[in-house]
Amino acid sequence: MQHLDDWEQSWGTFARHPSLSAAPARIDDVFDRYLERLGGNYPFHHPRYAGQMLKPPHPVAMAAYMAAMRINPNNHALDGGPPTSAMEKEVVADLAHMLGLPKETLGHLTGGGTVANLEALWVAREQHPDRGFVCSEAAHYTHTRMAKVLGVRMDTVPTDAHERIDLNALEEVVQKGDVGTVVLTAGTTGLGVVDPIADAIALCRSHGVRVHVDAAYGGFFALAAQRDDVPPNFPAADFAAIAEADSVVIDPHKHGLQPYGCGCVLFRDPGVGTVYAHDSPYTYFTSDDLHLGEISLECSRPGAAAGALWCTLQILPLHPTDGVGAIVHTCLEAARTWAAAVREASALQLYMPPTTDIVAYAPRIDGSAADLNTASRGLFERAMTDERAPIFTSLYQVPAERATKHLEGVTPVHADQVSVLRSVLMKPEHRSYAASIVDRLNAWAEA
């Protein structure tokens, strides 16, 4: 931070107020206790952790974030952080370009996917205040919750055999003429499934309905869709179709290697900026250029998040075969390696082939859905509590009737919902470790 040191020298140093001081011994004591408590976390950085959507940010992102925190810029207004505001506009343009959206796309970073989806649905409501929303039963729960916050009806339609939004059911709803926006998902948080976005957008357009794509989890897989070596069961055409959506949400704090929280909302039509129109008598005075706060529901937002993402993308660009593209492609390969190992395992079976980098599987049993539920939970707990080298997975609830269609030897009795195991392979290191981890899970399942 030599520039900041030069600035302090040119403007003169000053004495910190004594009220900001703390005794060194007290600081040491607090941090010793703090670090001890942090030790209670699971090893999110390790390949043996394949439970939830958690991964460490890239060291470049951490360093850039901490460097900016010495200044603590606020990207709400240009005078709160002129350099990081410019960086935010650049990375937003990069994300829009990655998704194929037009150059004039309007957008900004947010505190995460929930806030980003709230903004997208808020704009959707303002554009069609007399119409409702539609999403699938596999969409993230935030959409139904945000619809309640906005006071808008949200119709939920069933999914097909592949856990995607059912197009026939969707058509029945949108043809009634009272739907303003359909929410499609590019990477469900349950199974990583991608809705048939290309066909769904065509359907919505034929009925004059807007489309919002929630790509919070799967958006960066758009880079994989641009490669020649697309992996099996990967819906490249649907990722390409995201470019036709009216709004898109993507989370750099997932596959973008960023610290929490860093989401992003993008709008194809820059004219939606008028929806945000407001005035502040003390904020937007340092420049005639657009301030990010003028197109955001959030006010204070960390400039450090924009700086961290900018530095990361300078080093790991959004390129299909390099940088972030190479990383997410390796995660896709990891999921297919994991799935292949499950297929070969004697005591495990695949729930369904992975679409992105999430794999669902279950113990191989011959019994009821209740027995499957017990076996899945038992294997989950056995793996997580192993004293030598625990393996962290997660559980996913599915309807018992659907489980019996995907899994052999299971009868749909004594249970409405059953648990299967779920592994999120969002670290590229998972590709090297996938087969050996499944081998250990299989050994425990056999026992």
Side-chain angles (χ1 to χ4, degrees), residues 207-364:
H207 292 279
V209 176
R210 295 178 73 258
V211 172
H212 169 61
V213 174
D214 178 5
Y217 183 69
F220 286 92
F221 289 117
L223 293 170
Q226 301 166 27
R227 295 173 63 108
D228 295 330
D229 54 344
V230 175
N233 199 45
F234 182 75
D238 292 312
F239 277 103
I242 293 175
E244 303 302 320
D246 295 287
S247 57
V248 184
V249 160
I250 184 171
D251 274 359
H253 66 215
K254 293 190 172 73
H255 286 97
L257 308 169
Q258 298 306 296
Y260 292 111
C262 185
C264 180
V265 62
L266 301 163
F267 296 97
R268 162 180 287 277
D269 177 15
V272 303
T274 59
V275 174
Y276 292 87
H278 65 280
D279 191 22
S280 172
Y282 62 90
T283 305
Y284 312 120
F285 59 85
T286 57
S287 172
D288 292 332
D289 293 337
L290 181 69
H291 293 244
L292 290 164
E294 296 179 88
I295 54 165
S296 171
L297 279 181
E298 294 175 272
C299 291
S300 298
R301 295 179 307 107
L309 181 56
W310 184 89
C311 282
T312 305
L313 298 186
Q314 295 299 305
I315 294 170
L316 297 170
L318 297 175
H319 188 276
T321 59
D322 188 20
V324 177
I327 294 170
V328 297
H329 178 75
T330 306
C331 294
L332 293 173
E333 291 184 328
R336 280 136 187 87
T337 301
W338 189 291
V342 169
R343 289 190 185 98
E344 296 177 2
S346 59
L348 299 172
Q349 58 178 318
L350 201 61
Y351 177 71
M352 60 185 295
T355 304
T356 51
D357 62 353
I358 300 177
V359 187
Y361 51 102
R364 189 178 294 279

Side-chain angles (χ1 to χ4, degrees), residues 281-446:
Y282 62 90
T283 305
Y284 312 120
F285 59 85
T286 57
S287 172
D288 292 332
D289 293 337
L290 181 69
H291 293 244
L292 290 164
E294 296 179 88
I295 54 165
S296 171
L297 279 181
E298 294 175 272
C299 291
S300 298
R301 295 179 307 107
L309 181 56
W310 184 89
C311 282
T312 305
L313 298 186
Q314 295 299 305
I315 294 170
L316 297 170
L318 297 175
H319 188 276
T321 59
D322 188 20
V324 177
I327 294 170
V328 297
H329 178 75
T330 306
C331 294
L332 293 173
E333 291 184 328
R336 280 136 187 87
T337 301
W338 189 291
V342 169
R343 289 190 185 98
E344 296 177 2
S346 59
L348 299 172
Q349 58 178 318
L350 201 61
Y351 177 71
M352 60 185 295
T355 304
T356 51
D357 62 353
I358 300 177
V359 187
Y361 51 102
R364 189 178 294 279
I365 71 163
D366 186 8
S368 69
D371 294 331
L372 173 64
N373 196 54
T374 300
S376 294
R377 289 183 175 274
L379 179 55
F380 166 74
E381 293 172 3
R382 172 67 180 85
M384 189 170 66
T385 57
D386 183 74
E387 294 183 359
R388 183 173 63 88
I391 294 172
F392 299 89
T393 62
S394 57
L395 293 170
Y396 182 65
Q397 294 286 316
V398 299
E401 183 179 355
R402 180 158 288 179
T404 61
K405 294 179 180 179
H406 286 291
L407 300 171
E408 297 177 358
V410 182
T411 55
V413 293
H414 308 308
D416 296 323
Q417 298 279 322
V418 297
S419 297
V420 297
L421 286 103
R422 166 181 170 272
S423 293
V424 181
L425 308 174
M426 63 188 306
K427 294 186 282 290
E429 295 85 358
H430 277 135
R431 184 176 64 178
S432 300
Y433 289 84
S436 61
I437 291 176
V438 172
D439 284 345
R440 293 193 63 206
L441 291 171
N442 185 62
W444 287 326
E446 286 179 334

